[in-house]
Amino acid sequence: MNEFEAARRRLIDELKADGIVTSRAVEEAMLSVPRHIFVPRYIRHYAYQDTPLAIMRGQTISAPHMVAMMCELIKPRGGMRILEVGAGTGYQACVCARAIGEGEVYTIEIDPYLTLYATINVIQAGYWGMVKVFQGDGKMGLPKYAPFDAILVTAAASTVPQPLIDQLAVGGVMVIPLKEGDYQRLYVIEKGKDGVRRRFITYVSFVDLK
């Protein structure tokens, strides 16, 4: 076991002890997807600390506990079709892809440079094909590939974008941070036949959704 693998194992053990990682699917995904290859080389030694890391273009890669929490909240299972808004480095999309095993993860990034960076990382991690990377305005979603069983939004929005609600399948869930006054709150949005419900999870801190 090399240095990165040992650090990754320790991190996941801590997340399990804290009750963040609760399912076998997410545990295996977090252990299998090497976070260090998704960050610039000069900060790789911080890859398995449970903290967000500034990457480039004013963006961050979420802390491992937040990646695990968001993945747990969608209850990953085989055959899911997932949309991620805000590809960033591509790490969370690959974790979700590994957690569902079979299915498709679509991730959309507004910044062309980060779109390329995420694409390269996804290829290097071995998830190209299962993870599909697009450049565009994530608030508009990807209607061509809807409906989605789950939508993950990795930046804080002022309101829930209506196109994302429209593209969520009945019975599906959206995990999204919302700006409310001076705070950000993470919600699970559940879409049923009779409308949508929101459930508060925790306070968070994300970059703003562009």
Side-chain angles (χ1 to χ4, degrees), residues 179-197:
K179 295 185 288 185
E180 297 180 352
D182 295 330
Y183 301 96
Q184 294 180 13
R185 294 177 171 91
L186 187 70
Y187 287 96
V188 169
I189 308 294
E190 300 170 327
K191 185 175 181 179
K193 293 180 180 179
D194 55 350
V196 297
R197 298 181 303 168

Side-chain angles (χ1 to χ4, degrees), residues 14 28 58 71-72 74 89 92-93 123 126 136 158 169 173 175 204 210:
E14 291 170 3
E28 291 181 351
C71 195
E72 290 281 12
I74 66 171
T89 68
Q92 183 157 288
I123 292 170
S158 298
V173 297
V175 182
V204 292
K210 295 180 180 179

Side-chain angles (χ1 to χ4, degrees), residues 25-157:
V26 173
E27 178 183 358
E28 291 181 351
M30 296 289 287
L31 285 171
S32 298
V33 181
R35 188 176 187 241
H36 64 274
I37 73 169
F38 291 84
V39 300
R41 290 185 181 275
Y42 62 87
I43 55 172
R44 283 188 175 178
H45 54 292
Y46 297 117
Y48 297 107
Q49 294 183 12
D50 190 18
T51 183
L53 297 173
I55 46 170
M56 61 196 73
R57 316 278 284 185
Q59 301 299 303
T60 60
I61 180 173
S62 294
H65 78 268
M66 186 55 57
V67 173
M69 181 185 296
M70 293 182 80
C71 195
E72 290 281 12
L73 286 169
I74 66 171
K75 296 181 172 56
R77 61 192 182 276
M80 290 183 78
R81 182 183 292 257
I82 298 170
L83 172 65
E84 178 191 40
V85 176
T89 68
Y91 174 65
Q92 183 157 288
C94 290
V95 169
C96 288
R98 178 65 176 79
I100 64 176
E102 295 180 358
E104 295 176 313
V105 178
Y106 299 82
T107 184
I108 183 168
E109 172 59 51
I110 197 167
D111 187 307
Y113 184 89
L114 281 175
T115 303
L116 177 59
Y117 184 64
T119 299
I120 292 169
N121 289 337
V122 168
I123 292 170
Q124 290 181 336
Y127 286 90
W128 188 249
M130 189 170 183
V131 174
K132 300 173 174 61
V133 183
F134 296 82
Q135 193 273 318
D137 184 353
K139 297 188 297 295
M140 303 307 295
L142 289 170
K144 178 179 178 180
Y145 301 97
F148 299 101
D149 301 300
I151 297 176
L152 298 174
V153 182
T154 63

Side-chain angles (χ1 to χ4, degrees), residues 9 16 21-29 31 72:
R9 176 76 265 184
K16 288 177 64 179
V21 171
T22 58
S23 69
R24 184 66 177 170
V26 173
E27 178 183 358
E28 291 181 351
L31 285 171
E72 290 281 12

